[in-house]
Amino acid sequence: EPEVTQTPSHQVTQMGQEVILRCVPISNHLYFYWYRQILGQKVEFLVSFYNNEISEKSEIFDDQFSVERPDGSNFTLKIRSTKLEDSAMYFCASSVRRMNTEAFFGQGTRLTVV
Amino acid sequence: DAKTTQPPSMDCAEGRAANLPCNHSTISGNEYVYWYRQIHSQGPQYIIHGLKNNETNEMASLIITEDRKSSTLILPHATLRDTAVYYCIVRVENTGTASKLTFGTGTRLQVTL
């Protein structure tokens, strides 16, 4: 069964450092998403991406965040200067179309900022 | 997107049907009902979705009331591996809006022996 793959599974970084979280969506999917979940809290939407541009972003997704699809397979989330409060599980998801369809989630990257 | 209300927790004996309710009394005509689950901080997993008709797949059944103000997710024969947080999400779908999912706090289902 096709799956969304995320790497690394766990990343520890120093406050102020840049991190890049990587995702390989399902190959025929066109819509891509990042969500995050702070420990013990809800899953929160960050950004959606389609046709090489951001479709929607939440208030969380400020100038410190960026997304990119550098080639035909990878989808990345960059945090420019990490803060302690960026510590969370980050989930990538993809779907074949925008509506009336399921989104497939990866297993997540646990980001710990120290 | 319409707000949903779910009980915070439920228990179910293994092998029995688990019936998870969801209220979405402010749902509008172009909003679909989606169910996802999350097993112990893994990525959310899609279960099923529907607009107004009842739906069934290999995982579950979705029963939506005629007025669409509530729905029930049915796991017909719950197993220990079904222990998870179940999210009922109502999402507006038309060509002019984004397709994000707005997760609430869900129902924590504990399946016991």
Side-chain angles (χ1 to χ4, degrees):
Chain A
E1 183 174 307
E3 59 180 15
V4 175
T5 305
Q6 291 187 243
T7 55
S9 56
H10 189 189
Q11 175 139 13
V12 182
T13 189
Q14 296 267 347
M15 191 167 54
Q17 294 296 303
E18 174 183 287
V19 294
I20 297 176
L21 310 183
R22 302 180 191 279
C23 170
V24 179
I26 294 172
S27 62
N28 65 331
H29 285 189
L30 301 176
Y31 295 85
F32 313 110
Y33 313 86
W34 284 100
Y35 292 78
R36 81 171 186 190
Q37 186 175 32
I38 295 170
L39 187 64
Q41 298 188 22
K42 300 178 190 178
V43 177
E44 301 174 288
F45 168 78
L46 292 179
V47 66
S48 60
F49 191 87
Y50 169 70
N51 200 25
N52 277 323
E53 61 182 26
I54 290 173
S55 303
E56 184 178 3
K57 58 185 180 180
S58 71
E59 291 178 355
I60 303 167
F61 194 88
D62 61 21
D63 292 344
Q64 293 298 309
F65 292 86
S66 63
V67 289
E68 191 178 32
R69 188 153 161 82
D71 53 42
S73 59
N74 291 285
F75 180 51
T76 61
L77 174 70
K78 182 193 294 187
I79 309 175
R80 260 180 272 283
S81 177
T82 50
K83 304 189 270 282
L84 294 176
E85 54 265 38
D86 294 327
S87 295
M89 282 289 284
Y90 287 81
F91 296 109
C92 172
S94 68
S95 63
V96 67
R97 57 181 181 270
R98 183 198 294 266
M99 301 183 296
N100 190 17
T101 189
E102 62 197 286
F104 289 81
F105 284 77
Q107 290 304 295
T109 293
R110 179 172 298 284
L111 177 66
T112 302
V113 183
V114 297
Chain B
D1 294 344
K3 184 178 168 59
T4 62
T5 304
Q6 299 179 252
S9 64
M10 293 182 66
D11 292 330
C12 179
E14 189 175 36
R16 306 299 291 268
N19 296 280
L20 291 92
C22 179
N23 282 318
H24 31 80
S25 58
T26 60
I27 194 169
S28 60
N30 61 352
E31 289 181 309
Y32 281 70
V33 180
Y34 284 79
W35 285 83
Y36 282 77
R37 72 181 182 183
Q38 189 175 25
I39 298 172
H40 190 57
S41 296
Q42 294 179 22
Q45 178 190 22
Y46 167 84
I47 302 172
I48 200 166
H49 76 282
L51 181 61
K52 50 186 166 183
N53 297 323
N54 296 338
E55 302 286 346
T56 294
N57 63 21
E58 65 279 2
M59 286 183 70
S61 294
L62 173 61
I63 309 298
I64 303 174
T65 58
E66 195 169 335
D67 62 8
R68 300 186 70 239
K69 293 185 176 181
S70 66
S71 60
T72 301
L73 177 75
I74 301 173
L75 308 178
H77 304 287
T79 71
L80 296 177
R81 286 178 294 183
D82 292 322
T83 293
V85 178
Y86 286 77
Y87 300 100
C88 170
I89 300 168
V90 173
R91 186 172 81 179
V92 62
E93 301 205 347
N94 59 56
T95 56
T97 61
S99 53
K100 67 181 181 185
L101 294 163
T102 302
F103 289 83
T105 52
T107 295
R108 183 172 297 279
L109 177 68
Q110 180 69 52
V111 181
T112 56
L113 288 171

